[in-house]
Amino acid sequence: MADMVHLIKLCVGAEKVEDLLEWQASRYGNGPAMHVTRMWPKRGDEILNGGSLYWVFKGAVLARQRVLELSEVMGADGIVRCAIVLDREVVRTEAMMRRPFQGWRYLAIDDAPRDLPKGRTREEALPRELSVALSEIGLR
């Protein structure tokens, strides 16, 4: 799918995927999960064409959730924001190191980590030096 792009975001306040799962269950029950953001993605059509939100935990991408919808929500301050509506299924991914950043970023399909096989709940991140070296030669 050439017309698809993902989002990537730090999972602030969570140290592991289980923290995200617990927070979303307590906040949204069985309904779809959401991430509300101030900025509306300009590439929304590409995101909605099968894109996911990749979550970064303590410097490593470890999971993703498929983006189902982008919708407007009104904040308590009267400002319209973008709700990124997410599938409740959290898919574990290969660990991929990411430096801290603010907000969300676009993530190209070719740059996204692969999903872990079903039933496998984790993969330890490579040592930072090895991850950087693999990145520099285009293998990660």
Side-chain angles (χ1 to χ4, degrees):
M1 288 183 171
D3 293 358
M4 183 179 75
V5 69
H6 301 295
L7 294 173
I8 187 168
K9 166 113 182 67
L10 300 181
C11 197
V12 178
E15 293 190 15
K16 56 191 183 298
V17 178
E18 290 75 17
D19 296 337
L20 174 67
L21 294 170
E22 288 174 18
W23 185 84
Q24 287 183 349
S26 70
R27 177 127 183 163
Y28 301 109
N30 292 325
M34 272 189 255
H35 173 69
V36 178
T37 181
R38 191 169 47 93
M39 302 300 293
W40 192 281
K42 290 179 176 37
R43 298 173 69 183
D45 289 343
E46 293 173 79
I47 295 164
L48 295 173
N49 196 21
S52 291
L53 176 59
Y54 282 78
W55 291 108
V56 180
F57 298 85
K58 299 199 67 94
V61 175
L62 298 176
R64 69 175 179 86
Q65 287 178 279
R66 192 167 52 91
V67 177
L68 302 176
E69 177 183 345
L70 300 174
S71 62
E72 287 186 3
V73 293
M74 182 70 68
D77 56 6
I79 297 174
V80 175
R81 292 181 169 80
C82 177
I84 302 170
V85 181
L86 303 166
D87 189 330
R88 285 306 298 272
E89 180 185 13
V90 175
V91 178
R92 310 292 177 119
T93 66
E94 292 180 336
M96 181 177 82
M97 300 304 291
R98 277 305 277 234
R99 291 177 186 223
F101 57 93
Q102 290 190 355
W104 51 262
R105 301 283 185 267
Y106 293 110
L107 178 65
I109 298 167
D110 294 340
D111 295 336
R114 292 185 299 244
D115 293 350
L116 289 179
K118 290 272 185 214
R120 198 157 142 204
T121 60
R122 63 183 298 159
E123 178 179 272
E124 296 299 323
L126 292 172
R128 181 160 176 69
E129 299 79 24
L130 181 56
S131 184
V132 168
L134 289 172
S135 264
E136 288 172 351
I137 61 172
L139 293 177
R140 194 103 168 129

